[in-house]
């Protein structure tokens, strides 16, 4: 600790001493006369945070060392200033992650089984602790594996998904031959809840009370007898009181919460649901960072979900989301970081500081916004520019100003789907729109509007829908090109190690978005040409679309190296590979329609020399060209 001393210094870690601190999870670093560092904590987590603080501040171990492939550098010693330090209380009491991209974690280590194993979960829990988190929801509807026990071993609180109250097994999974009706089978529901309570009773848990139907839908979809808000609210209230009593009978001091999500939020606001007084009420953003109700299909009521400045409130917040429409799954949050900061300012000004569950996906591509929110839960007075500077300076030694500029401009290159400041899309808008368009033009309803895209285009004709989305994508492309160029410049000035880190965390996302945007543009152009019956031109543009989407796939593959081998194998949600298959299918359809039977018409009409096309014999003409070869030659012919 003091390089002028010849004898080794000592570190003494004392047992937790709650009476020495004003808040839970605090710690202190003090020095005695012989330069011994004494670590005290108010509780177990306080001691853990103290050791991790020492690790980051003086041993240079970054919280994201695992995800950023940062090498540990061995030194002969580390200097620690002999200055006492006492940590500040956290802004939010229960704060942690919902690890909601189980598919990536499952697919990454597929050969090790399902659910993910200890090897996968350890870096997740370690990083959460390093960032000051104390709570985790380790996946949804996973079979019982190591995740609950391991999280408890790390000192973390467990919590649960709103579709899986108390962490119980899904009703239809446990009783596939029974009707999912609480009225008819309340004893079976109570059996599942009781089993879940017994399984977790000796762990630290923030119990999630809830009642939704199977598949995360309103319960009355499978129990239509409850067809009024009064009936729905009465049953939900009864269920929540039952769950609450079951827990309190086993853990009298249990911490309970209820997710005011979807239909439950509306019922609660309209006075149809009653809750026990000491339950934490959890409000949710819309998946795009705004504290308003989530868009449901084509309906976007944007009803405020901001906490109401009552006792015991918290939030469930997304920096990554999956809505089969416009969300970001494999790329980072598409809106401004200032939006996140402003929403949390309002949340905390309403004193909703009891609970924060952050949907972090699978962490690797979301580190920037994860780090921003972690700074907020430590200290609400966070400056976005200062945080950006700190984040980049920690991870990179060169091209720092350019990387900061790129991250500041990232949201400007997001596909805009509305006038609100949160209405910017991630990677899914390109892929789900493309696949929906293809399915529509290959269906008997191709002349009708595509209703599933009304949320984006409004109720207009299909041709107007195509042109509307085409303009939106075309308007987005120049900003993406700017990021591509800036990213290319940055890579040229980084070391090999930092170039890999930059590409893995940031650069590949730009490549995915840029190539996906181009892929959608070419596909929409192809659809318009198909409508005009310009088949060979449509075929070439569909081919260009396919080649661009294949570049998106390649961008993922380039980030699979070393321990990350097969990390994107389970891209089953955005599913770039499926988009490529769909576009290839559409291209094949166009060729079937235009080149027909022997796949030789277009070659004869556009590519065969005039000296041959009028005299060749059917029994001597050459093999048909492959789709790619034909498209490349027609592209040159049509100068596309």
């Amino acid at each position: 600790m003091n390089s002028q001393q010849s004898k080794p210094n000592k570190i003494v870690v004392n047992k937790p001493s709650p009476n020495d601190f004003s808040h839970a999870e605090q710690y202190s670093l003090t020095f005695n006369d012989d330069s011994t560092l004494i670590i005290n904590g108010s509780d177990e987590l306080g001691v853990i945070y103290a050791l991790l603080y020492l690790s980051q501040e003086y041993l240079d171990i970054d919280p994201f060392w695992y995800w950023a492939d940062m090498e540990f550098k061995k030194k002969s010693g580390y200097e620690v200033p002999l200055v006492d330090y006492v940590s500040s209380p956290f802004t939010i009491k229960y704060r942690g992650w919902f690890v909601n991209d189980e598919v990536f974690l499952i697919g990454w280590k597929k050969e090790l089984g399902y659910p993910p194993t200890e090897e996968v979960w350890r870096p997740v829990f370690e990083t959460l602790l390093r960032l000051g988190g104390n709570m985790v929801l380790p996946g949804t509807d996973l079979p019982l594996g190591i995740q609950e026990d391991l999280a408890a071993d790390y000192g973390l609180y467990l919590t649960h998904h709103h579709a899986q109250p108390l962490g119980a097994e899904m009703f239809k999974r446990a009783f596939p031959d029974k009707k999912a009706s609480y009225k008819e089978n309340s004893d079976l529901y109570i059996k599942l809840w009781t089993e879940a309570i017994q399984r977790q009773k000796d762990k630290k848990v923030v119990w999630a009370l809830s009642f939704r139907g199977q598949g995360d839908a309103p319960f009355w979809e499978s129990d239509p007898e409850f067809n009024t808000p009064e009936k729905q609210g009465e049953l939900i209230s009864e269920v929540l009181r039952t769950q609450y009593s079951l827990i309190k009978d086993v853990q009298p001091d249990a911490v309970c919460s209820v997710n005011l999500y979807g239909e439950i939020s509306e019922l609660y606001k309209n006075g149809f649901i009653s809750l026990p007084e000491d339950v934490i009420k959890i409000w949710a953003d819309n998946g795009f960072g705004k504290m308003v109700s989530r868009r449901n299909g084509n309906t976007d009521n944007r009803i405020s979900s901001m906490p109401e400045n009552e006792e015991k409130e918290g939030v469930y917040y997304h920096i990554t989301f999956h809505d089969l429409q416009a969300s970001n799954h494999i790329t980072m949050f598409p809106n401004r970081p200032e939006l996140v900061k402003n929403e949390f300012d309002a949340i905390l000004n309403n004193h909703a500081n009891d609970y924060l569950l952050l949907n972090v996906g699978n962490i690797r591509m979301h580190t920037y916004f994860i780090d921003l929110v972690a700074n907020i839960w430590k200290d609400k007075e966070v400056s976005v520019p200062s945080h950006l500077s700190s984040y980049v300076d920690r991870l990179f030694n060169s091209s720092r100003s350019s990387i900061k500029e790129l991250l500041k401009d990232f949201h400007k290159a997001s596909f805009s789907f509305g006038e609100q400041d949160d209405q910017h899309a991630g990677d899914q808008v390109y892929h789900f729109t493309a696949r929906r368009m293809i399915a529509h033009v290959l269906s008997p309803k191709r002349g009708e509007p595509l209703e599933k895209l009304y949320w984006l285009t409004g109720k207009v004709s299909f041709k107007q829908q195509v042109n509307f989305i085409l303009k939106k994508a075309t308007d987005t492309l120049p900003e993406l090109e700017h990021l591509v160029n800036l990213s290319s410049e940055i890579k040229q000035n980084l070391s090999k190690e930092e170039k890999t880190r930059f590409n893995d965390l940031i650069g590949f996302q730009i490549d995915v978005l840029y190539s996906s945007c181009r892929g959608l543009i070419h596909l929409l152009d192809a659809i318009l040409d198909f409508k005009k019956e310009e088949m060979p031109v449509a075929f070439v543009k569909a081919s260009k679309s396919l080649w661009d989407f294949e570049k998106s796939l390649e961008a993922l593959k380039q980030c699979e190296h070393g321990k990350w081998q097969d990390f994107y194998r389970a891209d089953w949600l955005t599913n770039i590979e499926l988009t490529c298959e769909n576009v290839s299918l559409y291209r094949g359809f166009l060729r079937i329609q235009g080149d027909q039977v022997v796949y030789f018409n277009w070659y004869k009409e556009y590519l065969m020399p005039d000296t041959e096309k009028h005299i060749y014999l059917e029994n001597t003409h050459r093999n048909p060209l492959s789709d790619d070869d034909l498209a490349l030659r027609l592209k040159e012919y049509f100068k596309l």
Side-chain angles (χ1 to χ4, degrees):
M1 279 174 279
N2 187 334
S3 59
Q4 296 179 349
Q5 292 181 319
S6 57
K7 64 179 182 178
N9 301 124
K10 292 189 298 183
I11 298 177
V12 175
V13 181
N14 288 326
K15 291 182 178 180
S17 49
N19 295 331
D20 294 341
F21 295 88
S22 59
H23 291 79
E25 300 169 1
Q26 276 191 286
Y27 60 88
S28 65
L29 308 180
T30 57
F31 299 87
N32 63 15
D33 292 340
D34 68 350
S35 301
T36 295
L37 169 57
I38 303 169
I39 294 177
N40 286 298
S42 61
D43 45 37
E44 289 181 350
L45 277 179
V47 174
I48 290 171
Y49 292 145
L51 293 170
L52 295 177
Y53 172 84
L54 195 67
S55 168
Q56 181 173 357
E57 290 297 313
Y58 302 116
L59 306 183
D60 300 324
I61 307 300
D62 192 86
F64 295 116
W65 70 267
Y66 179 87
W67 309 94
D69 289 318
M70 302 176 79
E71 295 182 3
F72 296 152
K73 294 183 175 140
K74 187 175 181 180
K75 296 168 68 174
S76 58
Y78 292 84
E79 290 192 7
V80 177
L82 304 181
V83 178
D84 292 350
Y85 175 79
V86 179
S87 69
S88 300
F90 287 96
T91 303
I92 296 170
K93 186 172 184 179
Y94 301 109
R95 55 201 178 274
W97 292 350
F98 176 20
V99 186
N100 192 33
D101 281 354
E102 300 98 319
V103 289
F104 275 133
L105 299 181
I106 293 164
W108 175 27
K109 301 295 183 181
K110 187 175 180 181
E111 70 281 2
L112 297 179
Y114 174 78
T117 61
E118 181 176 345
E119 177 189 2
V120 174
W121 286 118
R122 280 197 178 278
V124 173
F125 299 152
E126 177 190 326
T127 306
L128 175 57
L129 285 171
R130 286 185 177 277
L131 291 170
N134 64 0
M135 178 178 67
V136 69
L137 198 174
T140 312
D141 192 29
L142 291 175
L144 285 179
I146 196 172
Q147 62 267 26
E148 285 187 2
D149 289 340
L150 188 63
D153 288 346
Y154 271 75
L156 295 165
Y157 287 87
L158 293 171
T159 193
H160 316 112
H161 192 268
H162 54 258
Q164 220 175 341
L166 314 186
E169 187 175 9
M170 294 282 194
F171 183 90
K172 291 298 286 185
R173 194 178 298 285
F175 307 108
D177 58 336
K178 302 292 185 181
K179 183 179 178 181
S181 166
Y182 184 76
K183 181 179 179 181
E184 294 183 20
N185 291 305
S186 60
D187 58 327
L188 298 180
Y189 277 96
I190 290 172
K191 178 178 184 294
L192 292 177
W193 299 334
T194 302
E195 289 172 353
I197 293 168
Q198 289 299 316
R199 188 184 77 240
Q200 302 166 84
K201 67 180 181 179
D202 297 324
K203 297 179 173 65
K204 296 191 301 184
V205 182
V206 179
W207 299 93
L209 315 179
S210 183
F211 188 60
R212 301 201 78 208
Q214 304 301 290
D216 199 13
F219 77 86
W220 53 84
E221 288 188 6
S222 58
D223 213 348
E225 173 187 341
F226 295 87
N227 54 6
T228 67
E230 291 83 0
K231 292 179 181 178
Q232 294 160 0
E234 183 179 358
L235 182 62
I236 290 174
S237 299
E238 177 188 342
V239 169
L240 298 182
R241 286 193 297 271
T242 299
Q243 293 172 351
Y244 180 84
S245 297
L246 290 171
I247 296 165
K248 290 292 186 175
D249 285 345
V250 176
Q251 276 190 357
D253 59 348
V255 179
C256 295
S257 66
V258 62
N259 280 277
L260 301 177
Y261 190 74
E263 70 282 351
I264 295 180
S265 170
E266 187 174 343
L267 290 169
Y268 176 76
K269 282 196 165 195
N270 290 325
F272 297 115
I273 292 179
S274 61
L275 301 173
E277 287 187 3
D278 63 343
V279 169
I280 302 171
K281 297 178 287 293
I282 303 168
W283 302 90
D285 75 311
N286 62 348
F288 295 84
K290 197 73 172 179
M291 294 302 295
V292 295
S293 57
R294 173 183 172 180
R295 185 177 64 253
N296 184 11
N298 291 321
T299 303
D300 191 6
N301 294 323
R302 297 183 67 83
I303 299 168
S304 174
S305 60
M306 185 63 69
E308 298 182 335
N309 203 6
E310 298 178 352
E311 292 292 321
K312 299 278 186 181
E313 289 189 300
V315 295
Y316 168 41
Y317 199 84
H318 298 77
I319 55 166
T320 174
F321 191 50
H322 177 60
D323 68 348
L324 311 180
Q325 290 182 330
S327 48
N328 66 301
H329 176 59
I330 54 178
T331 59
M332 75 176 80
F333 188 70
N335 291 311
R336 298 177 305 125
E338 288 81 5
L339 181 149
V340 176
K341 175 63 168 65
N342 293 340
E343 291 299 284
F344 273 103
D345 282 347
I347 289 165
L348 294 172
N349 285 339
N350 281 354
H351 304 101
N353 59 353
D354 284 288
Y355 179 105
L356 167 59
L357 186 65
L358 181 68
N359 190 319
V360 295
N362 62 57
I363 303 165
R364 191 181 179 202
M365 63 284 284
H366 305 297
T367 57
Y368 171 55
F369 281 95
I370 289 172
D371 199 60
L372 174 62
V373 175
N375 273 260
I376 292 170
W377 74 33
K378 292 176 186 173
D379 178 7
K380 69 177 182 178
E381 302 301 328
V382 172
S383 159
V384 170
S386 296
H387 167 260
L388 172 62
S389 184
S390 169
Y391 171 81
V392 173
D393 290 349
R394 279 166 33 205
L395 297 182
F396 299 97
N397 292 317
S398 55
S399 296
R400 287 170 168 172
S401 60
S402 296
I403 296 172
K404 292 170 191 175
E405 179 188 346
L406 185 146
L407 286 173
K408 279 184 4 185
D409 289 347
F410 187 87
H411 71 275
K412 297 177 184 177
S414 297
F415 184 107
S416 170
F417 61 87
E419 300 300 321
Q420 302 293 334
D421 60 350
D422 61 296
Q423 291 180 323
H424 294 88
D427 46 272
Q428 290 196 343
V429 75
Y430 301 112
H431 294 271
F432 278 87
T433 302
R435 298 202 296 265
R436 286 202 167 100
M437 284 284 186
I438 291 168
H440 190 69
V441 297
L442 296 182
S443 78
K445 295 184 177 182
R446 68 171 63 101
E448 302 173 13
L450 180 47
E451 291 186 16
K452 287 188 175 180
L453 287 178
Y454 281 167
W455 68 270
L456 174 57
T457 65
K459 295 183 179 180
V460 296
S461 71
F462 181 65
K463 183 177 179 181
Q464 288 173 309
Q465 287 182 305
V466 173
N467 281 308
F468 178 88
I469 298 170
L470 180 59
K471 184 178 187 310
K472 285 282 186 181
T474 303
D475 289 346
T476 305
L477 198 61
E479 292 292 348
L480 283 169
E481 287 177 341
H482 164 68
L483 294 186
V484 168
N485 293 333
L486 183 53
S487 177
S488 179
E489 292 175 13
I490 290 169
K491 290 176 188 177
Q492 291 176 15
N493 295 309
L494 294 175
S495 66
K496 181 179 178 181
E497 176 189 340
E498 291 201 331
K499 184 186 297 182
T500 299
R501 180 177 306 137
F502 172 81
N503 195 60
D504 286 356
L505 299 182
I506 304 169
F508 91 93
Q509 303 186 35
I510 295 164
D511 294 338
V512 165
L513 292 171
Y514 177 64
S515 54
S516 296
C517 184
R518 282 174 55 94
L520 180 60
I521 289 170
H522 290 313
L523 175 65
L524 297 174
D525 274 337
I527 290 172
L528 292 174
D529 289 326
F530 168 64
K531 289 283 188 182
K532 294 185 288 187
E533 297 188 357
E534 296 179 359
M535 294 297 191
V537 172
F539 173 80
V540 173
K541 291 180 179 177
S543 297
K544 292 174 72 174
S545 173
L546 175 60
W547 298 333
D548 278 317
F549 282 123
E550 287 175 340
K551 289 176 183 174
S552 298
L553 199 58
E554 180 58 30
L556 296 187
K557 298 297 183 187
Q558 289 179 358
C559 298
E560 295 184 321
H561 52 81
K563 71 189 181 196
W564 303 113
Q565 194 63 43
D566 296 324
F567 187 75
Y568 292 102
R569 170 166 51 187
D571 171 31
W572 303 325
L573 299 183
T574 295
N575 210 328
I576 296 174
E577 188 171 356
L578 182 59
T579 304
C580 292
E581 290 175 3
N582 277 211
V583 177
S584 180
L585 177 67
Y586 181 58
R587 178 175 73 164
F589 164 80
L590 293 171
R591 189 169 184 185
I592 289 171
Q593 294 291 304
D595 209 15
Q596 301 194 353
V597 190
V598 295
Y599 275 19
F600 194 65
N601 290 358
W602 288 343
Y603 177 81
K604 176 184 175 183
E605 183 173 356
Y606 302 110
L607 304 176
M608 182 179 279
D610 288 338
T611 55
E612 295 184 32
K613 70 168 56 175
H614 300 296
I615 61 173
Y616 83 98
L617 298 177
E618 292 287 350
N619 60 326
T620 60
H621 79 260
R622 67 213 67 192
N623 290 333
L625 295 173
S626 69
D627 285 350
D628 277 345
D629 288 341
L630 179 62
L632 286 168
R633 294 183 66 172
L634 288 176
K635 176 177 176 289
E636 184 177 348
Y637 176 85
F638 290 117
K639 296 182 169 39
L640 294 173

